[in-house]
Amino acid sequence: MDSPFGLLAELTYRCPLACAYCSNPLNMADYSDELATHEWRRVLAEARDLGVLQCHLSGGEPLLRRDLVEIVAAAHDLGLYTNLVTSALGLSRERAEELRAAGLDHVQVSIQADEPAVSDRIAGTRSFRRKIEAMGVVRELGWPLTVNVVLHRQNIDRVADVLALAEDVGADRVELANTQYYGWAWRNRDALLPSRAQLEAAEVVVRAARERLRDRMDVIYVIPDYYSRYPKPCMGGWAARQLTVTPNGDVLPCPAAQSLPLPRASVREEPLERIWTGAPVMTAFRGTDWMPDPCRSCDRRELDFGGCRCQAFQLTGDAARTDPVCHLSPDHDLVARAVEAANAQSRDEDPRLVPRPHRVRALGD
């Protein structure tokens, strides 16, 4: 594709939760100078002109932005389909009605488990009841509802009950997404990576639910990269279909790419179209010319594009290496050892989850 169809607008990295699997940057202070309302309006207009059709408003917690309604209205007026990706803390009926009037099209609410105490422990704060109440408001106001659950060693055994919860709240779609090991999740990998037995049991449950619910609810299930024979085609290929704008205006091909040693590109310094077409952060791994072997000579090179550049860098220190998830990668033993350790340890031996520190105010507030 010559232009992106999706924009992930990360409005803030502030968040009332303290999830131990958070993949947002560790260096929060670098993103405290958030784009102002008028800057987001310009970014949205430039994104529309570039070909973007979908705008996902995320964070952190986007509801912490006092101008969220204005940003939604601006995206709606531009003809963009808008999706709010939220923990739902702060989604009061009054706020929800304002967002509905502004033209918000869809709401995705995250929840950590099906049972209040477990969910609150993983989230690092009491939030379960407020999430359920907010989901009720979403349904009452007529929005499509997606329930997102990040799965890991601490909650994957509850996947049947999680699916039952999604049914109970009337979700149109449920995303069961196994943890991606970036940011804070990398620090907690040993406590989060599930065992093979856990995954196999979960897949049986999910397969049956898909069949039973096929006419009522979409069930999306993403297995952990570490258990795949081949890597996933991250974001449909590097800077091929989507782009991310971070709270301070940096532009990235995916949310995790801020960790890579690539030149910075910012909407505060250049138009979005120029960044998309020519900035090194966008062109570095676009297509297949950059690939080393075994990717260069692999028949799958235009299917998985060498896998995830951020994961390759996280595991090897070189973003141009073949994703170690791939069984053909010369670095695959790095993943194999982590999987072996996850299957060797008993649940009683699991390391304690280290919650991410809370941050709900911008620096200077």
Side-chain angles (χ1 to χ4, degrees):
M1 299 180 68
D2 294 329
S3 61
F5 70 80
L7 166 67
L8 178 63
E10 296 185 317
L11 303 182
T12 181
Y13 285 145
R14 291 172 286 149
C15 185
L17 304 186
C19 301
Y21 55 77
C22 183
S23 60
N24 282 163
L26 299 179
N27 53 329
M28 296 276 283
D30 290 353
Y31 299 90
S32 59
D33 184 15
E34 298 174 359
L35 294 177
T37 312
H38 72 276
E39 291 176 302
W40 275 115
R41 287 199 190 100
R42 175 174 56 79
V43 169
L44 293 171
E46 291 180 2
R48 190 275 313 271
D49 292 344
L50 190 56
V52 166
L53 301 174
Q54 300 175 355
C55 178
H56 304 277
L57 302 163
S58 181
E61 176 47 68
L63 287 166
L64 290 172
R65 288 283 301 220
R66 297 172 185 171
D67 58 355
L68 179 59
V69 172
E70 297 172 67
I71 292 172
V72 167
H76 175 75
D77 290 346
L78 289 164
L80 300 176
Y81 183 90
T82 50
N83 173 34
L84 179 65
V85 182
T86 178
S87 70
L89 271 66
L91 189 62
S92 63
R93 174 172 288 277
E94 179 182 2
R95 194 86 183 278
E97 289 175 345
E98 291 174 347
L99 290 166
R100 196 75 174 98
L104 183 67
D105 294 299
H106 182 277
V107 179
Q108 174 181 310
V109 178
S110 66
I111 198 161
Q112 283 65 40
D114 63 287
E115 200 276 327
V118 177
S119 184
D120 291 349
R121 175 178 61 80
I122 295 171
T125 189
R126 291 184 180 178
S127 54
F128 181 87
R129 296 298 181 193
R130 285 182 285 172
K131 288 172 177 284
I132 297 299
E133 291 170 4
M135 290 181 201
V137 171
V138 169
R139 299 304 292 148
E140 288 171 19
L141 293 182
W143 273 308
L145 171 64
T146 293
V147 173
N148 174 270
V149 185
V150 176
L151 296 178
H152 44 78
R153 193 176 182 90
Q154 309 291 321
N155 67 359
I156 196 169
D157 298 329
R158 310 183 67 93
V159 70
D161 295 320
V162 165
L163 285 162
L165 172 67
E167 281 189 80
D168 289 344
V169 299
D172 300 284
R173 187 170 185 264
V174 59
E175 293 181 353
L176 305 169
N178 273 278
T179 302
Q180 302 294 309
Y181 297 104
Y182 312 116
W184 209 257
W186 173 254
R187 177 171 180 174
N188 281 298
R189 188 182 68 171
D190 290 346
L192 292 170
L193 187 62
S195 68
R196 193 175 298 278
Q198 285 182 298
L199 285 172
E200 289 173 352
E203 287 178 18
V204 171
V205 172
V206 171
R207 196 177 304 118
R210 278 179 172 159
E211 178 63 23
R212 180 173 58 84
L213 299 169
R214 64 182 184 275
D215 297 324
R216 286 183 284 151
M217 185 171 71
D218 290 332
V219 179
I220 311 301
Y221 180 65
V222 182
I223 68 171
D225 291 359
Y226 282 39
Y227 284 89
S228 298
R229 184 171 173 81
Y230 297 103
K232 66 180 182 298
C234 189
M235 307 296 289
W238 184 272
R241 301 179 181 179
Q242 302 186 56
L243 74 163
T244 296
V245 177
T246 68
N248 69 344
D250 287 351
V251 183
L252 303 169
C254 78
Q258 79 283 332
S259 64
L260 303 186
L262 292 170
R264 176 177 171 271
S266 172
V267 295
R268 284 174 163 159
E269 298 170 3
E270 295 182 86
L272 198 58
E273 189 274 339
R274 187 182 302 166
I275 294 172
W276 173 261
T277 57
V281 70
M282 292 294 173
T283 61
F285 303 110
R286 185 178 273 158
T288 59
D289 290 345
W290 61 271
M291 290 181 176
D293 279 325
C295 295
R296 181 182 294 275
S297 55
C298 182
D299 291 340
R300 294 179 55 87
R301 63 185 176 277
E302 294 188 6
L303 295 176
D304 57 38
F305 303 100
C308 178
R309 299 300 87 223
C310 303
Q311 190 155 260
F313 181 73
Q314 182 82 74
L315 289 167
T316 73
D318 182 356
R321 300 282 287 182
T322 298
D323 188 338
V325 159
C326 183
H327 75 287
L328 299 173
S329 167
D331 304 303
H332 182 64
D333 65 303
L334 297 172
V335 170
R337 287 201 300 268
V339 169
E340 182 180 359
N343 285 277
Q345 71 189 39
S346 70
R347 294 300 305 278
D348 292 338
E349 297 171 329
D350 287 349
R352 182 179 178 182
L353 287 172
V354 180
R356 177 166 189 147
H358 292 271
R359 176 168 286 163
V360 295
R361 291 184 177 272
L363 297 182
D365 277 4

